[in-house]
Amino acid sequence: MRWRNSRSSYGLISVATHWLVALAVVGLFASGLWMVGLTYYHPWYTRAPELHVAIGVLTALLMLARLVWRWLDSSPDPEPGLPRWQVKASALVHSLLYLGVFVTAVSGYLITTAKGAPAEVFGLFSLPATLHDLPGQEDWAGRAHLIVAYGLIAFAGLHALAALKHHFLDRDATLRRMLGLENPDP
Ligand code: HEM
């Protein structure tokens, strides 16, 4: 498999970042809902938020790297015969997925740093607090985080359903090429 995309298939960088971000977003959504219900004496009470924050920051950075790579590399052409409205709808959903990850990550950062503490990433590096101690910051950032995370998961579900429809009903290469199973054109 090539590193770069071709006219008809995705390369290793696009495929790997796609599935890593997908796995992380689903994991962060589930772990987020689970961890806010933990009681003080639960063994994961501090560890779970630490992991959530660290993986969340890395996911946002990976998404940023994916976006930069998208600008550097050419994107494969849409599947032949795909109606124009579907090309436009998928582009819109893809943009909303990028936006959703960034807004979720920024709101999460604003919760974590609300009192001026940095967001730590596995002790490797940390993001210092920038906007902090604003009135009700933890509350409004927390509400935004939850609402946008739900929106993100809803659009990710729609995106996954569309991919399954292409694979099982239209029987085209949309899903296979994001799995790296299509041969690149010469
Ligand atoms: C894009 C990926 C992310 C997703 C899908 C996600 C999802 C969630 C969800 C669903 C919750 C539960 C919210 C609630 O029930 O009130 C949550 C909580 C939380 N998240 Fe995230 N999150 C992401 C990234 C981040 C990042 C990057 C940070 C920090 C830098 C972060 C910090 C937090 C914190 C501190 C909480 C606890 C909020 C509270 O105690 O009310 N999250 N997250």
Side-chain angles (χ1 to χ4, degrees), residues 25 28-29 32-33 35-36 52-53 56-57 104-105 108-109 112 145-146 149:
V25 165
L28 286 163
F29 184 73
L33 292 181
M35 76 187 191
V36 291
H52 182 89
V53 167
V57 171
T104 314
Y109 161 81
T112 309
H145 194 62
L146 180 63

Side-chain angles (χ1 to χ4, degrees), residues 1 11 27 39-40 49 82 91-92 97 100 111-112 122 124 131 140 162 176:
M1 191 180 187
T39 57
Y40 184 77
L82 201 65
L92 177 68
L97 290 172
I111 314 170
T112 309
F122 296 121
L124 297 172
L131 286 178
W140 55 257
R176 277 201 312 277

Side-chain angles (χ1 to χ4, degrees), residues 124-167:
L124 297 172
F125 66 95
S126 61
L127 302 180
T130 44
L131 286 178
H132 55 90
D133 294 300
L134 301 175
Q137 182 167 339
E138 253 171 317
D139 290 342
W140 55 257
R143 262 199 304 279
H145 194 62
L146 180 63
I147 293 167
V148 183
Y150 266 109
L152 175 59
I153 283 294
F155 280 110
L158 193 68
H159 170 78
L161 282 177
L164 293 174
K165 180 219 173 242
H166 278 287
H167 190 71

Side-chain angles (χ1 to χ4, degrees), residues 64-178:
L64 196 63
R66 181 172 166 75
L67 195 61
V68 172
W69 182 250
R70 225 182 127 105
W71 281 323
L72 294 176
D73 199 8
S74 59
S75 294
D77 297 332
E79 273 293 284
L82 201 65
R84 253 173 76 84
W85 74 266
Q86 281 190 28
V87 176
K88 286 192 169 175
S90 69
L92 177 68
V93 171
H94 296 163
S95 307
L96 289 172
L97 290 172
Y98 278 96
L99 190 69
V101 170
F102 293 131
V103 176
T104 314
V106 170
S107 55
Y109 161 81
L110 289 174
I111 314 170
T112 309
T113 56
K115 297 273 181 280
E120 294 286 345
V121 181
F122 296 121
L124 297 172
F125 66 95
S126 61
L127 302 180
T130 44
L131 286 178
H132 55 90
D133 294 300
L134 301 175
Q137 182 167 339
E138 253 171 317
D139 290 342
W140 55 257
R143 262 199 304 279
H145 194 62
L146 180 63
I147 293 167
V148 183
Y150 266 109
L152 175 59
I153 283 294
F155 280 110
L158 193 68
H159 170 78
L161 282 177
L164 293 174
K165 180 219 173 242
H166 278 287
H167 190 71
F168 290 108
L169 299 182
D170 305 337
R171 297 181 180 278
D172 63 25
T174 305
L175 180 59
R176 277 201 312 277
R177 66 187 198 170
M178 191 42 98

Side-chain angles (χ1 to χ4, degrees), residues 1-2 4-10 180-186:
M1 191 180 187
R2 294 187 194 166
R4 302 178 74 101
N5 301 335
S6 75
R7 294 293 297 273
S8 65
S9 67
Y10 287 102
L181 300 176
E182 281 297 289
N183 287 328
D185 35 22

